[in-house]
Amino acid sequence: MRMEHYYLLIVICCFLPFILGGIWFARHDCSKIPREIKKSATSPRAEDEMLKEYYYDEFSTHYNGLLSKLKKVNLYDPRIRIADEMDVWFKTMTRELMHDGNCLAYINHYGHLEDTFWKNIQELNISPEQDEKFQRLIVSVYKTDWGVWIRNFCNLPFNYGQRYKLSPNVEKILNNDSRFQDVKQTYELARGYAERENLKNQ
């Protein structure tokens, strides 16, 4: 063996312990980093509904016939226009719309449409407080490309909280899962507002 090979072997033997020690330290140090996200126990099906992004643009997802029909409803203030057959359809399909996240995203985006949506729920004597699927959808969150969890809907959780309470099961998820912190604050703000209004009216 040539002399330069001996020198190379000696250098490798000297630096190998430092390299292995660095790798061990990196792994050992990372294992001590606490998890930042506190998660709650939910069923896989419920978690799928609550942890995904909903779009009101049907071209960004698979074709949604219900959403496509919903887009034909007049978006102008119903108080200053003549009612048409799509208004009747919108009211008739309220229960189905409540269980479609993409349709809820569309309703959430248009103020007059959302106002009519809540009015239809009331006139049809639907009980959102007993509908956990609807509740899970409106408090749903999704993870951005930057790793931040944000709510799907800016208006629906607040307007729900002004009118109704969440079921104990859904409220427990909001309280125990840090991914829902943003929507929890919105809901609690709405509940506080509703309670103050109730006190004024007593």
Side-chain angles (χ1 to χ4, degrees):
M1 184 178 291
R2 298 178 61 180
M3 186 62 67
E4 54 266 25
H5 291 164
Y6 283 112
Y7 291 136
L8 180 60
L9 183 61
I10 293 171
V11 170
I12 292 174
C13 290
C14 290
F15 282 97
L16 187 60
F18 293 101
I19 295 172
L20 294 176
I23 295 173
W24 177 87
F25 178 79
R27 290 182 177 177
H28 183 71
D29 189 54
C30 289
S31 66
K32 291 184 177 180
I33 298 175
R35 296 180 181 272
E36 295 182 358
I37 296 177
K38 181 177 64 173
K39 299 181 180 180
S40 61
T42 58
S43 67
R45 182 177 179 182
E47 187 167 281
D48 287 345
E49 293 174 341
M50 299 181 75
L51 301 176
K52 63 177 291 187
E53 187 173 6
Y54 294 102
Y55 304 90
Y56 61 86
D57 179 2
E58 71 226 54
F59 297 107
S60 59
T61 61
H62 296 295
Y63 177 74
N64 184 328
L66 189 62
L67 176 59
S68 181
K69 192 77 177 285
L70 175 62
K71 289 189 173 185
K72 297 179 181 179
V73 178
N74 195 320
L75 297 175
Y76 288 102
D77 188 345
R79 295 171 297 183
I80 58 173
R81 65 174 175 80
I82 299 174
D84 58 32
E85 62 180 10
M86 289 309 300
D87 294 309
V88 177
W89 176 90
F90 183 44
K91 185 173 185 177
T92 303
M93 299 299 294
T94 298
R95 288 181 174 85
E96 286 77 6
L97 295 168
M98 290 172 69
H99 292 167
D100 188 300
N102 296 320
C103 289
L104 290 175
Y106 186 79
I107 292 169
N108 176 82
H109 192 69
Y110 296 99
H112 293 310
L113 195 64
E114 189 193 349
D115 291 341
T116 304
F117 175 69
W118 293 115
K119 180 182 177 183
N120 290 343
I121 288 175
Q122 184 177 15
E123 291 180 353
L124 291 170
N125 293 318
I126 297 173
S127 300
E129 291 181 319
Q130 299 175 6
D131 190 339
E132 287 195 7
K133 180 178 176 66
F134 175 57
Q135 294 175 30
R136 290 195 302 269
L137 287 173
I138 64 171
V139 303
S140 63
V141 297
Y142 68 94
K143 193 175 185 179
T144 67
D145 294 336
W146 299 276
V148 179
W149 291 92
I150 63 174
R151 52 187 168 157
N152 271 297
F153 312 119
C154 56
N155 299 319
L156 286 172
F158 184 83
N159 290 323
Y160 177 95
Q162 283 188 298
R163 295 168 172 83
Y164 311 103
K165 292 182 180 180
L166 293 172
S167 70
N169 290 335
V170 176
E171 194 164 347
K172 183 179 179 181
I173 294 172
L174 264 59
N175 290 332
N176 296 329
D177 195 323
S178 61
R179 291 174 293 187
F180 296 89
Q181 183 177 3
D182 185 28
V183 72
K184 175 189 174 185
Q185 292 174 349
T186 300
Y187 170 72
E188 289 178 344
L189 181 66
R191 288 307 308 159
Y193 178 82
E195 290 170 5
R196 288 192 296 273
E197 287 297 308
N198 288 335
L199 289 174
K200 287 180 183 179
N201 296 329
Q202 287 180 356

